[in-house]
């Protein structure tokens, strides 16, 4: 009996040991073996074509790793995205490339290998691609950005020349009096005179208290419609987007300015795309702008906030808490719009933007007061005086610069105004009148071409 029991005990012990060893091995393998990775999900694809560059955005639920390279004959950009499976949203990218895109012919999308999606951009010309990621901000999740810049960047002055808006000699006298005439009271006509044209009536009204002007060169004005592209700006209750409203007003103002033979205009953006703040300033300097006017339609936490405002740069801090809040909000546009920090020379930009002078701010205040007075004729003013704060977009060291808040898009009544063609036209006309009155009292000095 004891022997029989002994014999049966051995296999039980052996089985137990094998079971424990197997269990331990399984546990060890489960710890060492990589867990199955969760494939990233593409949530949205967007394309922003412009003459400056084309941006392609892939919004996703996690940070993505990429490898990219260029291929010649024909020109192509190849991008491999790791940790990604092809999904219907990503396939939508193919249809989003339009025939009028300046730099992309088409894009092909495919599963190159397990967990790797390949994008092939067939290009219209050589590009200098910037591929980078953006951390979540605002309502955006993670974003993978492809910025396709042309190797031969467009020259803003060359663009104005093509449009017939730039003379070879910037000092060549121009008929400034035709744009801002000094109209003297005329004696009663002996014979019935022809009715005054609307333009002549406007000239009389605007020159009532102005002195004769002695300007012998063209005036260049940089208009800066705020936000654009990935950055919609403020959004009204009815869904109106600041970036659309201010571009419409800027286009109207551009047309009005160009009616005068001595004035020309450069838009920092003429379509729906993102322009970094320092690039807006640099664009104005490249065309030797005499003025810089940034156009906005902001929002506030209270929908009752209303009225138009004008801001200029401050060297010593904001003139009010609201002005500081607004400047901080506008300066965050680069984060929302998406700046490639790795290639952006922040130190150089900082040096440039710190060169703003007291003289520039004083001239900006004069321009701001002239424009604000005209805005008060068409809309209630949020503040009766020009305000100051540290707006990055106003820091051109040699250009009088103002930021115009046309109205509060967060106020339902003012949102309706901002989307009304007649009000947009009135707003553009008021800004133009302010600009003309500024130049009537502060004629621009002659200056040489900037190298």
């Amino acid at each position: 009996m004891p022997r029989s029991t002994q014999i049966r005990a051995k296999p039980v012990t052996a089985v137990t040991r094998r079971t424990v060893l197997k269990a331990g091995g399984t546990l060890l393998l489960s710890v060492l073996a990589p867990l199955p990775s969760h494939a990233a999900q593409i949530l949205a694809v967007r394309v922003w074509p412009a003459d400056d560059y084309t941006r392609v955005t892939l919004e996703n639920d996690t940070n993505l790793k990429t490898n990219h390279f260029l291929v010649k004959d024909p020109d192509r950009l190849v991008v491999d995205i790791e940790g990604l499976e092809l999904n219907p949203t990503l396939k939508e990218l193919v249809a989003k490339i339009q025939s009028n895109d300046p730099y992309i012919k088409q894009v092909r999308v495919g599963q190159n290998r397990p967990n790797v999606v390949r994008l092939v951009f067939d290009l219209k010309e050589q590009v200098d691609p910037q591929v980078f990621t953006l951390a979540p901000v605002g309502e955006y999740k993670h974003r993978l950005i492809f910025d396709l810049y042309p190797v031969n960047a467009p020259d803003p002055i060359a663009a104005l020349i093509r449009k017939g808006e730039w003379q070879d000699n910037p000092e060549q006298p121009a008929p400034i009096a035709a744009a801002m005439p000094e109209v003297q009271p005329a004696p009663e006509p002996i014979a019935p005179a022809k009715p005054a044209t609307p333009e002549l009536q406007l000239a009389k009204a605007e020159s009532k208290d102005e002195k004769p002007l002695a300007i012998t060169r063209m005036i260049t004005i940089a208009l800066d419609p705020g936000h654009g592209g990935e950055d919609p700006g403020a959004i009204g209750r009815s869904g109106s987007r600041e970036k659309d409203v201010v571009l419409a007003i800027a286009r109207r103002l551009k047309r009005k300015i160009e009616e005068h033979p001595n004035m020309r205009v450069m838009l920092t953006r003429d379509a729906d795309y993102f322009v970094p703040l320092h690039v807006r300033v640099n664009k104005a300097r490249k065309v030797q702008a005499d003025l810089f006017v940034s156009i906005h339609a902001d929002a506030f936490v209270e929908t009752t906030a209303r009225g138009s405002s004008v801001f200029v740069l401050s060297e010593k801090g904001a003139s009010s808490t609201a002005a500081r809040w607004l400047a901080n909000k506008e300066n965050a546009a680069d984060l929302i719009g998406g700046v490639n920090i790795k290639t952006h020379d922040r130190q150089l930009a900082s040096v440039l933007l710190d060169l703003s002078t007291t003289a520039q701010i004083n001239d900006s205040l004069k321009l701001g007061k002239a424009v604000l007075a005209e805005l008060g004729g068409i809309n209630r003013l949020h503040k009766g005086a020009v305000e100051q704060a540290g707006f990055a977009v106003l820091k051109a060291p040699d250009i009088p610069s103002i930021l115009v808040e046309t109205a509060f898009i967060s106020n339902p009544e003012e949102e309706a105004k901002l989307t009304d063609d007649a009000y947009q036209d009135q707003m553009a006309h008021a800004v133009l009148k302010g600009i003309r009155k500024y130049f009537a009292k502060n004629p621009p000095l002659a200056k040489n071409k900037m190298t």
Side-chain angles (χ1 to χ4, degrees):
M1 187 70 168
R3 184 178 180 182
S4 175
T5 303
Q6 218 174 15
I7 293 172
R8 286 196 295 268
K10 288 182 179 179
V12 170
T13 303
V15 170
T16 303
R17 286 176 179 172
R18 284 198 299 272
T19 304
V20 171
L21 289 173
K22 286 182 179 179
T26 303
L27 178 62
L28 183 62
L29 288 173
S30 67
V31 171
L32 296 178
L35 296 174
S37 59
H38 169 68
Q41 292 296 313
I42 299 298
L43 306 175
V45 294
R46 295 181 290 274
V47 181
W48 309 99
D51 289 341
D52 291 16
Y53 72 109
T54 290
R55 166 169 288 191
V56 177
T57 302
L58 305 184
E59 188 175 357
N60 48 87
D61 62 355
T62 188
N63 195 26
L64 296 175
K65 293 182 179 180
T66 65
N67 293 301
H68 69 277
F69 54 93
L70 292 168
V71 180
K72 298 284 295 178
D73 301 323
D75 290 316
R76 284 157 287 162
L77 169 65
V78 180
V79 183
D80 287 338
I81 309 174
E82 300 177 14
L84 193 63
E85 297 294 331
L86 196 58
N87 72 351
T89 303
L90 187 52
K91 292 179 181 178
E92 293 175 5
L93 181 60
V94 175
K96 288 185 180 288
I97 303 299
Q98 303 298 311
S99 60
N100 61 351
D101 189 296
Y103 305 111
I104 304 176
K105 289 181 183 178
Q106 64 177 5
V107 63
R108 290 170 280 149
V109 183
Q111 193 75 47
N112 182 255
R113 56 187 185 274
N115 250 14
V116 176
V117 166
R118 171 166 288 187
L119 309 181
V120 179
F121 295 93
D122 295 319
L123 305 172
K124 294 182 178 179
E125 63 176 81
Q126 289 185 340
V127 301
D128 179 15
Q130 295 185 14
V131 181
F132 57 99
T133 59
L134 296 171
V137 62
E139 297 183 357
Y140 289 124
K141 303 295 184 183
H142 293 270
R143 284 177 288 172
L144 175 61
I145 303 291
F146 310 100
D147 283 348
L148 277 58
Y149 288 90
V151 170
N152 300 310
D155 183 345
I157 291 181
L160 291 176
I161 292 174
R162 285 195 300 271
K163 297 176 183 177
E165 298 168 3
W166 189 276
Q167 298 174 352
D168 290 335
N169 179 7
E171 303 303 328
Q172 181 178 341
I176 187 77
M180 304 178 193
E182 170 72 2
V183 181
Q184 300 293 341
E188 290 294 326
I190 298 175
K194 293 182 179 180
T197 63
E199 181 63 27
L200 181 57
Q201 290 174 343
L202 174 62
K204 287 181 178 180
E206 294 180 5
S207 61
K208 185 176 180 181
D209 299 319
E210 294 174 5
K211 297 178 181 180
L213 302 174
I215 303 175
T216 58
R217 69 173 178 83
M218 293 287 287
I219 295 172
T220 304
I221 299 173
L223 298 181
D224 175 50
H227 309 282
E230 291 286 294
D231 177 18
I235 300 177
R237 181 178 294 180
S238 298
S240 305
R241 301 180 300 185
E242 181 181 5
K243 67 175 182 178
D244 301 326
V245 168
V246 298
L247 180 59
I249 293 174
R251 285 172 171 167
R252 290 177 186 273
L253 178 53
K254 180 177 186 289
R255 288 194 295 269
K256 290 180 181 295
I257 292 174
E258 289 173 339
E259 291 174 359
H260 303 290
N262 70 299
M263 302 174 81
R264 59 194 167 211
V265 180
M266 185 275 297
L267 289 175
T268 59
R269 69 175 181 96
D270 56 5
D272 186 12
Y273 62 98
F274 170 69
V275 182
L277 297 176
H278 77 282
V279 174
R280 296 168 187 262
V281 176
N282 289 341
K283 281 188 169 188
R285 300 191 77 229
K286 283 181 179 179
V287 297
Q288 308 164 43
D290 295 285
L291 297 180
F292 181 91
V293 180
S294 192
I295 303 173
H296 293 257
D298 202 41
F300 195 64
V301 290
E302 299 290 341
T303 58
T304 54
R306 61 181 301 165
S308 302
S309 305
V310 175
F311 295 84
V312 303
L313 185 65
S314 171
E315 286 184 307
K316 300 178 181 179
S319 57
S320 69
T321 302
R324 184 184 301 107
W325 178 85
L326 179 62
N328 291 338
K329 184 172 177 291
E330 295 297 351
N331 292 346
D334 278 354
L335 297 177
I336 299 171
V339 172
N340 185 3
I341 299 298
K342 292 182 180 178
T343 61
H344 175 44
D345 192 337
R346 301 186 65 169
Q347 183 177 3
L348 177 61
S350 176
V351 171
L352 170 65
L353 298 180
D354 285 342
L355 291 176
S356 301
T357 64
T358 301
Q360 183 259 24
I361 292 176
N362 288 339
D363 286 339
S364 300
L365 282 167
K366 293 175 185 178
L367 171 62
K369 290 175 182 177
V371 171
L372 187 67
E374 298 303 325
L375 296 181
I378 65 166
N379 192 31
R380 172 181 172 179
L381 295 180
H382 185 65
K383 293 282 187 180
V386 176
E387 293 202 78
Q388 294 181 257
F391 292 90
V393 79
L394 300 181
K395 292 185 178 180
D398 45 5
I399 306 172
S401 304
I402 63 173
L403 186 146
V404 177
E405 289 289 354
T406 53
F408 281 87
I409 202 169
S410 55
N411 182 303
E413 292 182 12
E414 294 205 330
E415 180 187 8
K417 282 184 178 181
L418 287 167
T419 55
D420 179 70
D421 289 346
Y423 182 81
Q424 289 183 359
D425 203 67
Q426 286 180 321
M427 180 59 63
H429 184 65
V431 175
L432 174 58
K433 286 179 67 177
I435 290 172
R436 287 163 60 99
K437 287 189 174 181
Y438 166 79
F439 278 125
K441 296 181 180 179
N442 306 276
L445 300 174
K447 59 183 179 181
N448 298 322
K449 283 187 175 181
M450 296 172 60
T451 55

